[in-house]
Amino acid sequence: MKRRRRGTWIGLGVVASLAALSTTVAGQSLSDVQKVAKERGLSTADLLAAAKTYTPSGMIDEYLIFSSGGHSGQVFVIGVPSMRLLRTIAVFTPESWQGWGYGTGNEILEQGLVNGKANLWGDTHHPALSETNGDYDGQWLFINDKANARVAVIDLRDFETKQIVKNPLTLSDHGGAFVTPNTEYVIEGGQYATPLGSTFDTMDNYQENFRGSVTFWKFDRKKGRIDKERSFAMELPPYWHDIADAGKLVSDGWIFLNSLNSEMATGGIQDKKPPFEAGASRNTTDYLHIIDWRKAEQVYKAGKVEMVEGFPVITLETAIAEGLMYLTPEPRSPHGVDVAPKGDFIVVSGKLDPHVTVYNFNKIQKAIANKTFSGKDPYGIPILDFDAVVEAQVEVGLGPLHTQFGPDGYAYTSLFLDSAVARWTLGGSYGAGTPEPDWTLVTKTPVHYNVGHIGVAEGDTVAPDGKYLVSFNKWSVDRFFHPGPLLPQNFQLIDISGKGTNMPVLYDMPIGMGEPHYAQIIKADKLHPWSVYPEIGWDPVAQQMDPMAPKPRMERVERNGSTVEVYMTAVRSHFNPEHVTVKEGDHVIWRITNIERAVDATHGFALPQYNINLSLEPGETATIEFVADRAGTFPFYCSEFCSALHLEMMGYFMVEPRD
Amino acid sequence: MSVIDHILGPRLEPDLVRKHALRFGLPGFFLLAARVLLLVSLFLPYWQLELHAPQYPDNLYLIAYVNHLEGDVAEIDTLNHYIGMRPLEEAARIERSLGVYILIGFVILLELASYIHTRWAVLLVLPALTFPGVFLLDLYLWMRHFGLNLDPEAPLSTAIDPFVPPVLGKGAVGQFETIAMPGPGLWLSIAASGVLILALYFHRRAYLPLLRRQKEQSQKEQGN
């Protein structure tokens, strides 16, 4: 059945150009296709795009997009080429379907307290898949919350958030999350400069007291957690830091970090001073930061750090003295800094300059060795001479932002102002892969509209796949029905499997759930997620068996003084026990195991009057604790439609009043 | 002649065996083959039930070995509880706990049978010979017992009448189509039964003449 339908659709693509095609199923002949195409106003190109993307029931996508969810505080998982949303992953924000913050994940959300207070919204920006030897390994996903300078760890065995770390030094981050080629560190560059730890100060002391920072979170792959005790940070000048990327292969051991406002403008439009937008754009260049993280790690391990907010920080002075950091001019107001697959070129684009600027890592090393400096910044950091380190500048169009790479020597850059994606050729050892001359613009495909990041299949690894590019557009304007004035963003799938100017848009996917920023695209067969938890009684927070997990035939309610412990199981279509009676004021510890082994047999546990809703996947155990402070009779029920007798899957929680 | 000699039957003289190697070798060979088949069958499924339903694109399977159940036991139990069928683990407990020992017992009996050259050998062969039939009969009785004794308090007890699921072939319950079929283990034990029939045939061909001669001889001796 599946095969026949797939065959029909592959045929469809060819239909428009091939006149003769014999079909077998009534009402599904070539003339029927032409009739429908005519009725719907579809062109041959549209039919071809449909054939490339249409994914019949049961066909699994070849790639997965892990997209930031922007202000939704989540991660979106989307199939390619179908562009179907598979899942949202709750991260920084409560999410009631997954029970995130309503009984499950509460302790993880609490790890993200900001100065001891709950901050339950996030603005996820840059997902980073874990890497082995510079290639995605499909095991972990990291994502930053730009709004609150937090980084989360997601386990790709169950697609759930396992850890949130709050950066103690900065309140906002943009240069994260990025991983080093073997996921030794997760990099988090701070964004807006403040005094480290965000203590009070005024703009008068901006240059003296305000600072930037970049944090190296040590990832313990065995534990699957960031190890704060082995993490450190580096103090940076009070420029605003944008995005970062880690070197790979020849440039392994280094990171590259963009900055803006190297003018150190302090704004003040209300006092008739130049606003930030003017003051921070005065110079034609800002600084690309080039940081030797391996050397920095040695300096940290040697104890040459100062503790700030209880966190080890390599000071600017130490960083300069130890030769850990260099600057070089880059086009102002830069966005992307992207390392080419072999690690040899670093592509930077400043959105007010129509060029991409390509730096050569070997030239950078030579300039460092020969001290080819054009000066020092106000804090004494050596500035590498621009001409000594640059390899090429390629005019690609207006508003260049971010660059990704294909497998064949093409690079792709998003053009915000042109609202297009540019394809251009790399030079050097990549040059032979493309028919066009080195370092030239090949073509531009218009996108709709205002593209931010782009993602090519595995396009930021040592081994890009090419094939698909997704343009993460900020505006959709006229692409979709207007669901009120708040419009969805538009993810546009582009076919980059051809060469030269052949780079058509295939499909538009509206994103009406937040404003995504970056996304990474991984081959689906690199992931090996669980379909059900490995054993009955699994604690997804610890990713191991919960020794206290309720088991079948051991369901019970235990009372110890004013503490009541419930050991409950859930299976189609009943909870056991179904009656739980406590006294008002009792401390209730309620453990529930979903004892199902069938794929997709998820149960919910909703106790709405206590603000509880759990999603219990097959095998999962959850524990909730609360004080029964509301007397009354409260039905609890399964909130996932689990079976024909789903409505009957309920029980009563009775809280007897204290007199 | 003692009772034991009477049961064991005539012993063979080496010359005779050498002369008629095939004739006296075949019964032992087939008995050995049956023992091997039965021993191998211990490690293979005896019976398999396939359940088809729209929401289970990969089907559900119940696979029965001589001593244990495999497959989607938990899921089938979960579904069965709706119609009030008892958990599968409660079926044929004794049979499953003894299954391996019983089969090993059969193998020992067959081993013994190869030393007996009278019709008493049939008695030792008979349990193994009838085993496949007994297995299916036992299975039928359990399925009948389970199917006819549904819990009247079960959620769907009013929707489903007691029924006897077929031991072999197709059946239907609710949206499920069931297909029951013998497993390779059962096929091996059936093959063992066939081999045992051959063994008995060749046993008779080899030893009956000897027995007759022995009888004639003893009659002669009595006549003298």
Side-chain angles (χ1 to χ4, degrees), chain A residues 149 166-176 187-198 209-217 232-244 255 257-259 289 291 308 311-316 325:
Chain A
K166 168 73 191 94
N167 194 305
L169 303 174
T170 176
L171 283 185
S172 57
D173 67 31
H174 198 278
I187 298 155
E188 184 193 20
Q191 187 179 28
Y192 297 120
T194 58
L196 292 184
S198 302
N209 294 346
F210 284 50
R211 286 295 178 270
S213 67
V214 58
T215 300
F216 297 83
W217 294 108
F232 64 97
M234 190 186 282
E235 180 188 12
L236 302 180
Y239 315 141
W240 300 342
H241 294 96
D242 192 62
I243 221 165
I255 66 160
L257 178 64
N258 272 341
S259 67
H289 294 46
I291 298 169
V308 181
F311 201 74
V313 178
I314 299 171
T315 61
L316 262 177
M325 178 163 43

Side-chain angles (χ1 to χ4, degrees), chain A residues 79-100:
Chain A
V80 173
S82 75
M83 301 306 283
R84 295 178 300 195
L85 178 70
L86 286 173
R87 251 204 78 171
T88 61
I89 303 172
V91 187
F92 297 106
T93 313
E95 201 280 337
S96 45
W97 169 52
Q98 291 159 68
W100 196 247

Side-chain angles (χ1 to χ4, degrees), chain A residues 417-435:
Chain A
L417 300 176
D418 274 349
S419 216
V421 173
R423 168 186 268 173
W424 52 280
T425 56
L426 294 169
S429 62
Y430 303 91
T434 54

Side-chain angles (χ1 to χ4, degrees), chain A residues 242-487:
Chain A
D242 192 62
I243 221 165
D245 199 6
K248 49 194 171 228
L249 300 177
V250 292
S251 54
D252 186 10
W254 294 75
I255 66 160
F256 308 94
L257 178 64
N258 272 341
S259 67
L260 57 157
N261 195 18
S262 54
E263 298 85 350
M264 294 186 279
T266 52
I269 194 170
Q270 73 286 346
D271 299 327
K272 304 274 188 280
K273 291 178 183 165
F276 280 115
E277 62 174 344
S281 310
R282 209 180 330 116
N283 298 346
T284 53
T285 57
D286 284 302
Y287 292 125
L288 174 67
H289 294 46
I290 300 161
I291 298 169
D292 185 340
W293 68 259
R294 274 203 212 285
K295 222 175 186 183
E297 183 185 44
Q298 287 166 14
V299 168
Y300 154 65
K301 283 183 177 163
K304 296 177 196 166
V305 290
E306 271 183 24
M307 298 304 279
V308 181
E309 302 286 322
F311 201 74
V313 178
I314 299 171
T315 61
L316 262 177
E317 208 182 347
T318 308
I320 296 164
E322 300 281 345
L324 305 183
M325 178 163 43
Y326 300 89
L327 305 175
T328 194
E330 59 181 354
R332 66 181 155 173
S333 191
H335 264 252
V337 50
D338 298 288
V339 180
K342 294 175 190 172
D344 44 1
F345 296 131
I346 300 116
V347 180
V348 171
S349 13
K351 58 185 174 288
L352 302 178
D353 177 337
H355 298 87
V356 286
T357 300
V358 183
Y359 300 85
N360 183 324
F361 183 74
N362 288 331
K363 290 184 180 177
I364 288 172
Q365 290 303 296
K366 224 176 264 171
I368 290 171
N370 298 337
K371 296 191 166 35
T372 317
F373 303 145
S374 58
K376 287 181 177 177
D377 86 332
Y379 297 88
I381 308 170
I383 301 170
L384 302 177
D385 180 58
F386 180 77
D387 294 324
V389 296
V390 80
E391 176 74 22
Q393 286 194 294
V394 184
E395 186 166 343
V396 290
L398 298 180
L401 297 187
H402 299 282
T403 299
Q404 294 260 303
F405 303 92
D408 42 15
Y410 285 131
Y412 301 87
T413 300
S414 54
L415 304 173
F416 183 80
L417 300 176
D418 274 349
S419 216
V421 173
R423 168 186 268 173
W424 52 280
T425 56
L426 294 169
S429 62
Y430 303 91
T434 54
E436 298 84 0
D438 294 356
W439 308 121
T440 50
L441 175 68
V442 176
T443 193
K444 287 195 240 182
T445 293
V447 293
H448 311 89
Y449 301 89
N450 293 357
V451 53
H453 279 271
I454 51 173
V456 168
E458 312 216 343
D460 64 356
T461 69
V462 294
D465 282 9
K467 284 177 130 172
Y468 299 110
L469 181 150
V470 181
S471 175
F472 310 118
N473 303 322
K474 302 293 182 189
W475 284 19
S476 61
V477 190
D478 62 350
R479 295 292 105 172
F480 308 110
F481 178 84
H482 284 185
L486 179 61
L487 302 193

Side-chain angles (χ1 to χ4, degrees), chain A residues 571-574 596-598 643 645, chain B residues 56 74-75 78-79 81-82 155-156:
Chain A
V571 70
R572 280 160 290 163
S573 309
H574 56 266
E596 300 275 4
R597 296 318 284 149
S643 59
L645 297 178
Chain B
Y56 295 92
E75 184 62 11
T78 300
L79 296 168
H81 102 278
Y82 285 115
L156 300 180

Side-chain angles (χ1 to χ4, degrees), chain B residues 11-12 32 39 70 118 124 128-129 176-177 207 215 217:
Chain B
R11 297 295 89 192
L12 297 175
L32 179 68
L39 281 175
E70 273 184 12
T118 64
L124 300 183
L129 186 76
F176 285 89
E177 182 194 39
Y207 299 115
K215 214 172 176 184
Q217 227 161 27

